């Protein structure tokens, strides 16, 4: 392990701590391991002489790296999350650093049936010669988002060792991102950057600056219960009405049939349901605000149709806003966030591709609060599964990219010092 670069050593250290988010928990953070990792990061930040290091009672870790003299640009926030997904086991993670990858199918010591190969995971072929990092097959790896944490920590350590030009940096490690609560207890006054980046995206040389517009609809159906033997013309079965509404969702507008920029309707839960009452939650997603509104109207129309077909029934639709596409906030609030991100890649001789996120991110909610926050790659792949992987080289590349990003902000917003 000692022959590995520092960012990879940090990563291997952090993934060993179980920070699985617990959706059933009522505590903040939802699992004790997140506090444990937060304490380690706090101590390491103090050791590398970061400023204003603070680990709060909710588990968030904050720190500042002062700007180099003459910097006049915005304060830049960097965000990564401490927790890992509850979708796969995250306790006793035993990471394996593999020999340089040769394109073959990888096997796992803890599960002889499990394989990771380029046929199902073609991105592997872009990593020939990389030292891939996986779990032993019994857990996820935790690259989402301990890769982001390790990269940011290494950036802070390296910047504090060298006099290179940089903006003022505000670091924030959040908790419970994986259960949708990453921003709930964020102390915005303490964090307070003008623009930010989350380091939480999969892949290499990718920036994610678009999310769905998202809403959650609760459909409540009241029917009429009557003895089934004497129900003719009287019974209105709420379960039948619910299934009739579900059946109206076009086959091609469901999560299992959509990808890329296509939105969807998703019946998330159905129940409690009996003859007299049924309730379901439908989530709707669309990259365009107008598209989301149209989907919400469509569900209302279906509800009205079903009510009209069954006199005596009631079908109501309650709408809850979840999050908005961050693209609009990012481009309106400060277009430099994306411009400098591209410049930083260009300076390294690579091109950033921009991909939409088919889900929410901390950045979407920060952007809604007025801090434009796209999401930057951290090198990992196949998140939320026991097949999750990253590579030593990807971690180094992501770190180099962040350094380039800082240098580009400094070059754009710095003023030459006179002495
Ligand atoms: Zn993540």
């Amino acid at each position: 392990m000692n022959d590995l670069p520092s960012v990879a050593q940090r990563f291997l250290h952090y993934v060993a701590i179980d920070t699985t988010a617990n959706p059933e928990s009522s505590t903040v953070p939802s699992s004790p391991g997140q506090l444990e990792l937060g304490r380690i990061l706090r101590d390491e930040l103090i050791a590398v002489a970061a400023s204003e290091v603070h680990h709060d009672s909710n588990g968030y870790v904050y720190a500042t790296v002062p700007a180099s003299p003459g910097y006049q640009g915005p304060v830049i926030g960097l965000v990564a999350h401490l927790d890992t997904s509850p979708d796969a086991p995250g306790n006793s993670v035993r990471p394996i650093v593999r020999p340089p990858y040769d394109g073959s199918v990888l096997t796992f010591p803890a599960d002889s049936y499990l394989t990771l190969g380029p046929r199902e995971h073609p991105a592997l072929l872009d990593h020939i010669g990389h030292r891939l990092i996986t779990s032993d097959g019994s857990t996820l790896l935790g690259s989402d988002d301990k890769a982001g944490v390790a990269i940011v920590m290494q950036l802070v350590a390296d910047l504090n060792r060298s006099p290179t030009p940089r903006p003022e940096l505000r670091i924030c490690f959040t908790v419970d991102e994986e259960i949708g609560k990453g921003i709930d207890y964020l102390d915005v006054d303490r964090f307070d950057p003008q623009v930010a980046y989350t380091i939480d995206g999969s892949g290499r040389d990718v920036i994610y600056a678009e999310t769905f517009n998202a809403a959650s609809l609760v459909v409540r159906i009241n029917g009429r219960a009557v003895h089934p033997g004497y129900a003719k013309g009287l019974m209105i079965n709420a379960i039948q009405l619910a299934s009739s509404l579900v059946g109206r969702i076009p086959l091609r507008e469901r999560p299992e049939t959509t990808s890329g920029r296509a939105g969807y309707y998703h019946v998330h839960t159905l129940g409690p349901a009996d003859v007299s009452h049924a309730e379901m939650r439908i989530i709707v997603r669309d990259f365009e605000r107008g598209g989301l509104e149209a989907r919400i109207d469509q569900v209302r129309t279906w509800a009205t149709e079903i009510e009209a077909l069954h006199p005596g029934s009631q079908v109501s639709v309650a709408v809850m806003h979840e999050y908005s596409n961050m693209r609009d906030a990012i481009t309106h609030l400060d277009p430099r966030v994306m411009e400098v991100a591209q410049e930083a890649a260009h300076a390294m001789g690579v091109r950033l591709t921009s991909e939409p996120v088919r889900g929410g991110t901390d950045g979407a909610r920060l952007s809604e609060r007025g801090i434009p926050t796209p999401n930057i790659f951290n090198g990992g792949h196949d998140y939320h599964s026991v097949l999750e992987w990253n590579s030593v080289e990807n971690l180094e590349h992501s770190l180099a990219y962040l350094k380039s990003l800082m240098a580009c902000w400094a070059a754009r917003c710095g003023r030459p010092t006179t002495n």
Side-chain angles (χ1 to χ4, degrees), residues 21-363:
N22 177 3
E24 311 298 327
S25 166
S26 56
T27 64
V28 182
S30 70
S31 57
Q34 298 184 61
L35 286 174
E36 185 189 341
L37 178 56
R39 281 192 290 271
I40 291 170
L41 298 177
R42 175 198 62 197
D43 293 348
E44 290 182 358
L45 286 163
I46 291 170
V48 298
S51 309
E52 298 168 345
V53 178
H54 183 65
H55 184 212
D56 75 11
S57 57
N58 293 317
Y60 292 70
V61 181
Y62 303 88
T64 298
V65 178
S68 49
Y71 178 77
Q72 293 178 316
V75 174
I76 311 288
L78 294 178
V79 183
H81 64 89
L82 301 176
D83 60 313
T84 57
S85 167
D87 294 348
N91 60 318
S92 309
V93 173
R94 284 175 288 270
I96 300 174
V97 182
R98 313 254 176 176
Y101 184 57
D102 60 2
S104 61
V105 174
L106 301 177
T107 56
F108 293 81
D111 184 344
S112 54
Y113 293 103
L114 196 67
T115 58
L116 176 66
R119 217 158 69 118
E120 291 85 19
H121 305 270
L124 283 167
L125 293 176
D126 301 328
H127 295 77
I128 302 289
H130 281 225
R131 285 166 289 174
L132 301 182
I133 310 174
T134 66
S135 75
D136 67 359
S138 62
T139 65
L140 48 64
L141 175 62
S143 175
D144 176 11
D145 183 24
K146 285 163 184 164
V149 173
I151 293 159
V152 171
M153 287 297 292
Q154 193 60 44
L155 176 79
V156 174
D158 291 352
L159 286 180
N160 272 356
R161 263 197 295 268
S162 85
T164 51
R166 75 279 193 124
E168 178 172 343
L169 281 183
R170 297 269 168 79
I171 310 301
C172 180
F173 297 123
T174 62
V175 300
D176 291 328
E177 191 267 354
E178 297 291 3
I179 52 174
K181 298 180 177 172
I183 303 301
D184 285 8
Y185 295 93
L186 178 89
D187 183 346
V188 180
D189 293 335
R190 184 183 286 277
F191 184 41
D192 199 31
Q194 273 110 49
V195 305
Y197 299 91
T198 49
I199 318 301
D200 188 24
S202 65
R204 193 175 153 110
D205 301 327
V206 189
I207 189 162
Y208 303 86
E210 260 205 84
T211 52
F212 282 129
N213 295 288
S216 172
L217 314 181
V218 175
V219 181
R220 294 188 180 89
I221 302 171
N222 287 323
R224 188 189 296 132
V226 180
H227 187 293
Y230 305 93
K232 188 171 181 186
L234 296 173
M235 180 189 280
I236 303 172
N237 187 336
I239 300 171
Q240 298 284 5
L241 270 51
S243 91
S244 142
L245 196 149
V246 172
R248 280 170 158 78
I249 297 175
L251 185 61
R252 290 175 190 284
E253 296 183 43
R254 302 176 187 176
E256 62 270 36
T257 55
T258 49
S259 62
R261 299 188 55 84
Y264 59 73
Y265 304 85
H266 174 46
V267 185
H268 186 266
T269 48
L270 175 58
D274 56 25
V275 173
S276 56
H277 184 79
E279 197 167 306
M280 72 178 117
R281 193 159 85 90
I282 300 176
I283 64 174
V284 286
R285 301 287 187 258
D286 203 290
F287 283 101
E288 304 306 323
R289 174 147 296 285
L292 184 78
E293 298 302 333
R295 286 178 194 281
I296 294 169
D297 286 346
Q298 181 62 72
V299 174
R300 287 195 173 115
T301 302
W302 291 331
T304 311
E305 284 170 7
I306 289 166
E307 229 177 37
L309 281 171
H310 303 275
S313 69
Q314 283 128 21
V315 186
S316 68
V317 180
V319 180
M320 264 91 55
H321 167 78
E322 290 188 278
Y323 54 86
S324 300
N325 188 340
M326 61 184 178
R327 172 192 59 198
D328 304 335
I330 289 170
T331 45
H332 290 136
L333 291 169
D334 196 337
R336 291 178 301 176
V337 182
M338 295 298 284
E339 292 164 13
V340 180
Q342 284 294 354
E343 278 170 31
H346 188 73
M348 293 172 71
V350 297
R351 224 179 69 77
L352 277 193
T353 51
S354 181
E355 286 180 20
V357 186
R358 290 180 62 82
T361 75
D362 279 352

